[in-house]
Amino acid sequence: MKTVIIGLDGATFDIINPLASAGRLPNLSRLMREGISAPLRSTILPNSFPGWASCTTGTSEGMHGVFSPFIKNPSSYTVRAMSGRDIMTRNVWDILSAARGRSIVLNVPTTYPPEPINGMMVTGMLTPSLDSDFTYPASLKTELLAALPGYVIEPARIPDRRARAAEFRRSIDAHEKAVGFLMSRGEWDFLMVVFSVLDRAQHDYWADMDPSHPRHDPKTPREFREFVHETYQRLDATVARLIEHLPADSRVFVVSDHGFCSELFEVRVNEVLAEAGLLAFKVGRQTRSRVRSLGEKISRRLIPPRSNGNVLQKKVEYGRAFLDEIDWSRTRAFFAQDKGIWANLTGRESEGIVRESDFDEVIEEARAVLLSVASPEDGEPVFEKVMRRDEAFNGLYSQRLPDLVMIPRRDEFVYNERPGYGARIVPADSTTGTHSRDGIFIAWGKGINAGVPFSTQPNLRDVGPTALASLGCSLTTDLDGRALMEVFSDERDRPRLGSSYRDPDRAISARTPVYSASEEAELRERMRALGYIE
């Protein structure tokens, strides 16, 4: 049966339900009323890259090998931008291609560079620019740009907020038109499109919408206060138009990779480790910090924002320079840009000092320190869980993921490698909205049970297996997501065949650089604009 996944990046029922009750989302309301819906639990780090990788493969981080937008370089404290080649398990369209099914894949964030499938692919956010080869087949690029000369991969973060909002609207229109263009080019069995702009709108305009946000300005023009809601409404209408063009017997899954909420506090993790004696800074670092802090204040007032049009890039250089301020000869543990803590292990790190026999002691000390961090609001622990690698991940590629990872008690707390120069927790001053752990799941169409309760909360990695079951495909023997068979009126178990893992040689090819130096720099700036790194 034709199966469609419509991704609304960052969509949350916290916004959808009130708008639906007010009659402002008639189409999503209809899908929820006639189908089945539930909050969808995201990945450990609720982020688009591990999230969409889990969604499309039906596997968790330890299997597909992606925990954040960045992969830590072996024997180095630096990271590199991930690409689709870093995903070590097969996507829905890969499994369907092997079964001779045909797919259309558009703007899925984790798909660059494009890979051969039985069908058509237009890659998403990891694509450096329109100059890149971003389609399969390669000839599709020329045809797409000829048909849609204003096509947008990733909307520009224009300094002027009114112009930026217009660019975001243009992005929705471009991706909707691209879906129509691809659907007109022949038969297909599976279609997936992701509208990423909702995530961008919520990062940039959340405080405008939320009167309770500390950075809300009641004098903000109404068009900005309403822009998040407007974006939901635009996507509601877009979903309706897409469904109108589907065959009557299609099944539709509307999903998000995570939810959204206010961003209120930042935890400067390396400052926490330094205060506990697990990390050391070089002599003279505090003096240099005062100069940098003064420079930051001056630039914030005098230098206009750059391409993303907000305060997100005011300290871009801090993220690069912070590693240089660490004295590795006296550092036992550190927080890296891949969003996890690593022991400074001898033989693994270029300047490692922790012996293998001391590894457990260092990791447990770091865990205890993080669990002791208290919220400045209520004195309660900031982190709900701090998990070792073997507790958090299961799979062949767990070893390339951090030694320790954290889950905040409240989604409003974010954590990063940004220098605090003594401050462990500070009011957030980058994006005003951030990711929360529960996204959305809506199933609608022929053979979908309306209103049936789930036995357990659906997980993002359940979406891929559920799509395969809808398509009538076999599931693999080792995927760790489950097919949500309760959504189907026909609940027959699907056979299991083969492995989710790709050829082991893929791990070797993933080390080959995908991006040029300039493309890597551009992607880093894009991630900083979203608050993913500092």
Side-chain angles (χ1 to χ4, degrees):
M1 185 173 295
K2 288 189 186 298
T3 299
V4 179
I5 296 177
I6 301 174
L8 304 181
D9 199 305
T12 171
F13 283 124
D14 290 341
I15 300 293
I16 289 174
N17 287 340
L19 290 180
S21 297
R24 297 176 65 177
L25 301 178
N27 303 298
L28 290 175
S29 295
R30 174 195 167 203
L31 300 189
M32 291 188 288
R33 184 175 62 254
E34 296 178 1
I36 182 171
S37 62
L40 186 66
R41 180 54 52 95
S42 187
T43 41
I44 292 172
L45 176 71
N47 179 277
S48 295
F49 298 96
W52 289 118
S54 290
C55 173
T56 61
T57 66
T59 60
S60 59
E61 299 95 320
M63 288 188 68
H64 60 63
V66 174
F67 179 70
S68 83
F70 293 93
I71 306 290
K72 185 176 175 293
N73 292 313
S75 303
S76 173
Y77 301 108
T78 63
V79 297
R80 61 175 174 82
M82 70 152 289
S83 77
R85 291 179 186 168
D86 289 301
I87 298 173
M88 297 300 164
T89 48
R90 296 189 290 161
N91 294 289
V92 170
W93 51 84
D94 299 315
I95 295 172
L96 182 59
S97 291
R100 299 185 179 181
R102 184 172 170 83
S103 299
I104 295 173
V105 180
L106 173 65
N107 203 48
V108 177
T110 50
T111 47
Y112 184 83
E115 297 186 300
I117 63 170
N118 183 22
M120 295 172 285
M121 176 180 289
V122 180
T123 59
M125 182 188 177
L126 288 174
T127 309
S129 73
L130 288 172
D131 294 329
S132 308
D133 294 326
F134 63 91
T135 67
Y136 181 86
S139 59
L140 179 61
K141 173 182 173 179
T142 300
E143 298 168 17
L144 175 69
L145 295 181
L148 302 172
Y151 185 70
V152 177
I153 297 175
E154 177 69 15
R157 310 298 275 276
I158 300 170
D160 180 86
R161 302 188 80 218
R162 187 167 285 108
R164 191 190 325 159
E167 174 76 353
F168 286 0
R169 297 183 191 104
R170 189 169 75 89
S171 173
I172 296 174
D173 294 341
H175 290 133
E176 180 183 350
K177 291 175 182 175
V179 174
F181 170 76
L182 297 174
M183 289 174 63
S184 71
R185 291 175 52 83
E187 285 297 313
W188 54 273
D189 302 290
F190 173 70
L191 166 65
M192 181 169 181
V193 56
V194 175
F195 293 91
S196 300
V197 74
L198 181 60
D199 175 274
R200 316 304 184 254
Q202 292 178 118
H203 273 301
D204 289 359
Y205 294 88
W206 190 276
D208 300 312
M209 171 195 69
D210 182 3
S212 68
H213 197 289
R215 286 182 277 169
H216 177 77
D217 181 357
K219 298 179 181 179
T220 297
R222 179 180 176 83
E223 65 179 297
F224 300 146
R225 297 199 307 271
E226 279 291 317
F227 186 64
V228 169
H229 292 168
E230 175 200 322
T231 304
Y232 274 90
Q233 289 181 274
R234 283 181 175 271
L235 288 168
D236 180 80
T238 298
V239 168
R241 288 190 292 269
L242 291 180
I243 289 175
E244 285 176 5
H245 291 92
L246 297 178
D249 62 348
S250 300
R251 285 177 177 157
V252 177
F253 301 101
V254 181
V255 304
S256 66
D257 51 335
H258 50 74
F260 244 87
C261 64
S262 294
E263 181 174 325
L264 300 181
F265 292 97
E266 294 180 9
V267 182
R268 308 289 170 81
V269 181
N270 281 325
E271 299 291 342
V272 173
L273 298 176
E275 186 175 294
L278 285 158
L279 181 147
F281 293 109
K282 293 177 180 177
V283 175
R285 180 248 191 180
Q286 291 296 331
T287 300
R288 291 193 298 272
S289 76
R290 295 190 189 101
V291 176
R292 286 179 176 166
S293 179
L294 177 61
E296 179 185 24
K297 292 176 182 177
I298 294 172
S299 65
R300 194 181 306 173
R301 288 166 172 77
L302 300 181
I303 300 174
R306 293 188 287 174
S307 60
N308 66 350
N310 49 37
V311 297
L312 299 171
Q313 294 184 15
K314 64 183 179 296
K315 286 298 292 175
V316 166
E317 69 276 9
Y318 270 28
R320 295 179 183 141
F322 194 40
L323 289 176
D324 294 333
E325 297 184 343
I326 296 175
D327 182 347
W328 298 108
S329 69
R330 297 186 295 130
T331 290
R332 292 181 291 149
F334 63 96
F335 182 81
Q337 284 185 310
D338 67 348
K339 295 297 182 183
I341 288 181
W342 296 78
N344 193 20
L345 193 63
T346 301
R348 183 180 69 183
E349 310 301 342
S350 58
E351 300 179 57
I353 64 168
V354 176
R355 294 175 299 183
E356 189 71 41
S357 59
D358 296 328
F359 175 83
D360 286 341
E361 179 182 344
V362 169
I363 289 302
E364 289 305 321
E365 184 178 347
R367 191 209 304 248
V369 166
L370 290 165
L371 288 172
S372 71
V373 176
S375 165
E377 285 193 319
D378 56 17
E380 293 295 314
V382 166
F383 295 109
E384 177 182 297
K385 292 182 181 178
V386 180
M387 296 180 289
R388 296 172 62 118
R389 179 192 291 123
D390 57 359
E391 296 167 341
F393 309 117
N394 180 43
L396 294 181
Y397 294 95
S398 298
Q399 289 302 311
R400 74 181 193 185
L401 306 182
D403 295 329
L404 277 180
V405 294
M406 302 89 81
I407 298 177
R409 180 173 56 91
R410 291 174 51 195
D411 293 321
E412 295 90 345
F413 282 73
V414 301
Y415 51 93
N416 55 43
E417 75 288 351
R418 189 175 174 186
Y421 302 109
R424 304 195 314 167
I425 302 177
V426 299
D429 66 351
S430 56
T431 60
T432 64
T434 193
H435 303 167
S436 59
R437 68 189 73 181
D438 284 339
I440 69 167
F441 177 84
I442 303 171
W444 174 89
K446 185 176 180 180
I448 296 293
N449 283 327
V452 174
F454 288 100
S455 55
T456 58
Q457 181 181 0
N459 190 287
L460 193 52
R461 64 178 176 267
D462 299 336
V463 175
T466 305
L468 287 170
S470 176
L471 288 160
C473 287
S474 299
L475 307 182
T476 66
T477 59
D478 50 7
L479 55 76
D480 53 2
R482 74 180 184 95
L484 301 171
M485 298 307 297
E486 57 264 52
V487 309
F488 303 120
S489 55
D490 174 9
E491 292 192 30
R492 289 179 301 169
D493 287 337
R494 297 302 189 267
R496 291 181 175 263
L497 181 68
S499 174
S500 285
Y501 287 111
R502 297 178 184 268
D503 189 305
D505 289 343
R506 185 179 179 89
I508 299 173
S509 67
R511 299 173 195 161
T512 304
V514 170
Y515 309 109
S516 67
S518 61
E519 289 173 338
E520 175 95 14
E522 170 61 28
L523 287 173
R524 284 175 178 269
E525 296 304 305
R526 195 176 292 173
M527 303 304 172
R528 286 189 179 92
L530 295 170
Y532 292 173
I533 61 168
E534 293 297 333

